[in-house]
Amino acid sequence: MDINDLIALWNHAFCKVIDIRRTTIKAGESIRSYYVPSSLFLMSIRGHAAVNLGREFYQLQRFTVIHAGKGAVLDIVAGSEDLDYYSVYYKASIHPPAPPELAVLLERTQPFERSYSITPDNPIALHRILSDMFKDWEKKQPLMRLRARTLLYQFMHGLLHQMQAQGPSSAKRDLAAQVAAIIHSHYAESITLESLSESLNYSVPHLSSYFKIRTGMSPIDYLIKVRIDRAAALLLETDATLKEIAVGVGYQDPGYLGRLFKKYRGISPMRYREVHAAKKKPEDCPCTTMESSIAPSESFNYTDSIDNDYQYHSDGKGDLFMFNISSLHSRRRCC
């Protein structure tokens, strides 16, 4: 995205701060398949992690800033040290009157929904703003929350200034990103570790271990997740039979898909359709409810859906106690 377009749109943006959090993820723990409920700025202040936003992979290092749009699917895998970060949830819009060309630019670029990353050259100034925002927000006083909103504009000004000076850091198209892209493009076809390694000219052990280090899951587990997510969407968006859906996501045996779906979603495919069809509009993401400390413990009042099929438990202090995929199944709410 052109930085000048981003500056032009933010000059006309009306913003509302939804929530501000400081969160800790313990070393080696993770957040899995978190559906971001609003536009989000995330800034790390200690530690490092691998971040997956849809098909984009980022390295979250000290003072890295990542932006995610509403509905993005976020995975964070902490490294060998605890990860501390601030997260600022906000909602932005362009209010009239605005030049017609600005409306066209907004429609074309969707700046508040884009994913991007930057490691600023002058992070301390941005950190100070976020620290002040968090302290003001915690006071829960109307005047302090007004100040938090003004500080969001200061944060964005500082960020845009540094992006203009150095350019945003793009996610490198590394091996893990290439594997993820192949899986998303060809999930309905026969994909094996051998076929992936052959197409990318890497050995199976190297490809598998590197992908797991970057994402926290094996390539085959990632493939299953993509297929199950797509099957869930088809169950809610269409009247397709389970056999038709199975073939459409890469399984010839609908019974096998049914067993996998129940294992990963905690409910049979047909029961999932029955329970959720009346609740969700077709464009909504077909996932069950979760609570997450990356988001507020209270329900967000600006959205009608809290879209995530996974859960974790929190100690109430912002630390996460995450579970791997197998342990999630035994803890999943039954609809």
Side-chain angles (χ1 to χ4, degrees):
M1 180 181 201
D2 186 88
I3 184 63
N4 293 319
D5 291 343
L6 194 58
I7 292 171
L9 289 165
W10 269 95
N11 262 303
H12 290 80
F14 174 82
C15 292
K16 178 182 179 182
V17 177
I18 304 301
D19 194 37
I20 304 172
R21 289 265 168 146
R22 177 169 173 169
T23 304
T24 299
I25 306 179
K26 297 298 184 181
E29 295 180 346
S30 60
I31 292 171
R32 293 294 182 194
S33 296
Y34 173 70
Y35 287 81
V36 180
S38 74
S39 298
L40 168 68
F41 281 112
L42 188 153
M43 183 175 186
S44 61
I45 55 177
R46 184 182 293 111
H48 62 277
V51 176
N52 179 11
L53 269 173
R55 302 183 189 183
E56 299 293 338
F57 287 83
Y58 302 94
Q59 283 296 326
L60 193 63
Q61 301 171 356
R62 189 170 58 92
F63 294 126
T64 298
V65 177
I66 289 179
H67 183 270
K70 179 180 179 180
V73 183
L74 176 65
D75 293 318
I76 303 177
V77 181
S80 57
E81 301 174 356
D82 292 356
L83 174 71
D84 291 333
Y85 61 88
Y86 285 110
S87 49
V88 179
Y89 295 83
Y90 75 97
K91 184 175 183 179
S93 57
I94 305 295
H95 283 194
E101 60 271 19
L102 202 67
V104 174
L105 182 62
L106 177 65
E107 180 66 26
R108 177 171 61 84
T109 61
Q110 297 293 316
F112 311 121
E113 309 303 323
R114 288 289 187 94
S115 297
Y116 54 85
S117 165
I118 179 173
T119 301
D121 289 334
N122 183 16
I124 299 303
L126 296 177
H127 172 263
R128 184 175 61 250
I129 294 172
L130 286 184
S131 178
D132 289 346
M133 287 176 68
F134 177 70
K135 291 174 183 176
D136 289 345
W137 192 261
E138 286 286 282
K139 294 175 183 177
K140 299 182 179 180
Q141 299 172 2
L143 190 59
M144 292 296 98
R145 298 217 159 172
L146 175 61
R147 183 170 185 264
R149 191 169 82 179
T150 64
L151 287 172
L152 174 59
Y153 287 103
Q154 290 185 34
F155 175 82
M156 197 61 207
H157 171 267
L159 189 65
L160 288 171
H161 179 73
Q162 297 201 44
M163 289 174 68
Q164 189 176 49
Q166 70 185 76
S169 301
S170 300
K172 293 182 179 180
R173 190 77 167 171
D174 69 355
L175 177 60
Q178 293 180 63
V179 171
I182 291 173
I183 289 174
H184 279 278
S185 298
H186 303 281
Y187 64 85
E189 303 169 17
S190 176
I191 297 179
T192 64
L193 279 175
E194 288 73 18
S195 65
L196 286 170
S197 63
E198 184 177 348
S199 64
L200 295 171
N201 198 27
Y202 285 93
S203 69
V204 168
H206 176 78
L207 181 145
S208 183
S209 62
Y210 184 83
F211 189 87
K212 189 163 187 178
I213 289 171
R214 290 297 307 275
T215 68
M217 61 176 66
S218 72
I220 298 306
D221 283 338
Y222 189 82
L223 172 62
I224 292 172
K225 177 186 179 301
V226 170
R227 285 174 168 175
I228 296 300
D229 287 348
R230 184 57 188 150
L234 289 170
L235 283 164
L236 299 193
E237 296 171 6
T238 74
D239 291 330
T241 65
L242 186 59
K243 182 177 181 180
E244 291 169 334
I245 291 174
V247 172
V249 300
Y251 296 116
Q252 297 303 313
D253 181 3
Y256 181 68
L257 172 61
R259 291 190 293 274
L260 274 179
F261 194 96
K262 188 167 185 179
K263 177 182 177 182
Y264 282 84
R265 293 282 175 145
I267 189 172
S268 71
M270 294 301 105
R271 180 60 180 158
Y272 181 88
R273 172 180 275 171
E274 292 172 3
V275 170
H276 292 280
K279 295 181 181 179
K280 297 286 185 180
K281 293 184 282 187
E283 65 270 22
D284 289 336
C285 185
C287 307
T288 56
T289 300
M290 100 167 227
E291 295 176 352
S292 171
S293 73
I294 191 173
S297 56
E298 302 86 3
S299 298
F300 284 102
N301 57 12
Y302 59 92
T303 178
D304 294 327
S305 60
I306 306 173
D307 291 329
N308 201 334
D309 189 48
Y310 301 106
Q311 305 176 53
Y312 76 86
H313 298 277
S314 169
D315 64 357
K317 299 179 181 178
D319 292 343
L320 304 183
F321 295 87
M322 306 303 299
F323 304 103
N324 59 28
I325 292 175
S326 61
S327 65
L328 281 166
H329 308 323
S330 63
R331 292 172 170 86
R332 198 178 316 285
R333 294 188 181 96
C334 187
C335 298

